[in-house]
Amino acid sequence: MSQSRDSGRTAAPAAAAGGDTTRERILTAAMEEFARHGIAGARVDRIAKLAKTSKERVYAYFRSKDALYAAVAAQEHLVIAEATQLDPSDLPGYAGRLFDYFVARPDHHRLITWGRLELPGTATAADDHAQALIARKIDQLRQAQQAGQLDSAWDPADVLALVNQIATTWAAQPEHGKAAVAHAVDPTTAARRAVVVTAVERLFPRAR
């Protein structure tokens, strides 16, 4: 079956029915494979072997490798959103949760980054989920501004982008993390987290 790039949509709804442990095993195996090798470097036969199924079975659920990546990435976006929970009145706290999430799961950050690098400008199911989540967060921030909990001088789209960028500074720049361990006055992860939270606090103070 062809692995050509397509819209990223998964196979027919019947193949994605809930409760199918084979599908879940495929997604789990694909998460590991994509995080380690990227999209181009990932191999469906390795995913099938890790999932204890056949390559043909993988394609019965996901019509291409890109469609499989899109399903994994869409699922990951939802997991991140649930685990970190944006609170517009406490953006420093939100930044700290994002920092913690990716410190504990650097492979998850790599998974998302591969999609940005290898599928730029491509419409996928993962993009749909990500855009929907981003739009919801921007709306939450706008409501916080209207309630006087956040400085209304900022565009909420800029607020979200800046907070996310600061929170993922160390996950996105592992070489700087290594340098911090060797050269920072306080080389601990806790110190890096404190800097992230403080930076966001100074830009967007907690609502009083």
Side-chain angles (χ1 to χ4, degrees):
M1 183 174 294
S2 171
Q3 295 184 29
S4 63
R5 296 195 168 172
D6 54 30
S7 65
R9 300 299 193 270
T10 55
D20 189 319
T21 56
T22 301
R23 186 177 188 276
E24 293 308 309
R25 289 200 311 274
I26 291 169
L27 289 171
T28 299
M31 168 75 193
E32 181 176 328
E33 178 75 7
F34 286 127
R36 181 176 298 175
H37 300 287
I39 303 168
R43 296 291 177 265
V44 174
D45 54 351
R46 286 198 298 254
I47 292 170
K49 183 177 180 180
L50 187 60
K52 296 181 171 58
T53 189
S54 67
K55 189 173 180 179
E56 291 72 24
R57 191 65 172 159
V58 173
Y59 283 122
Y61 287 98
F62 306 98
R63 66 180 178 229
S64 70
K65 187 168 63 170
D66 285 1
L68 176 53
Y69 172 82
V72 171
Q75 178 175 276
E76 178 60 14
H77 283 302
L78 292 172
V79 169
I80 293 170
E82 181 63 28
T84 58
Q85 288 294 324
L86 173 67
D87 179 354
S89 66
D90 182 13
L91 292 177
Y94 169 64
R97 288 189 293 277
L98 275 176
F99 176 91
D100 292 340
Y101 185 88
F102 288 120
V103 163
R105 305 165 185 83
D107 54 327
H108 291 219
H109 188 272
R110 290 197 303 273
L111 173 80
I112 300 301
T113 301
W114 280 119
R116 293 169 179 161
L117 292 172
E118 297 192 48
L119 299 175
T122 302
T124 67
D127 292 329
D128 293 344
H129 283 275
Q131 287 301 310
L133 289 167
I134 290 169
R136 189 172 69 192
K137 289 178 180 180
I138 290 173
D139 188 55
Q140 286 178 271
L141 292 168
R142 184 173 287 111
Q143 290 178 32
Q145 289 176 323
Q146 293 169 352
Q149 297 176 322
L150 182 65
D151 187 351
S152 60
W154 292 88
D155 189 304
D158 293 329
V159 173
L160 184 62
L162 287 169
V163 172
N164 277 272
Q165 188 67 34
I166 292 169
T168 59
T169 294
W170 300 103
Q173 302 180 91
E175 68 280 9
H176 286 280
K178 291 180 181 178
V181 170
H183 304 293
V185 174
D186 184 343
T188 64
T189 299
R192 306 286 77 73
R193 186 187 196 278
V195 168
V196 164
V197 172
T198 299
V200 175
E201 174 71 32
R202 291 184 180 180
L203 279 172
F204 310 111
R206 292 177 175 89
R208 305 299 180 187

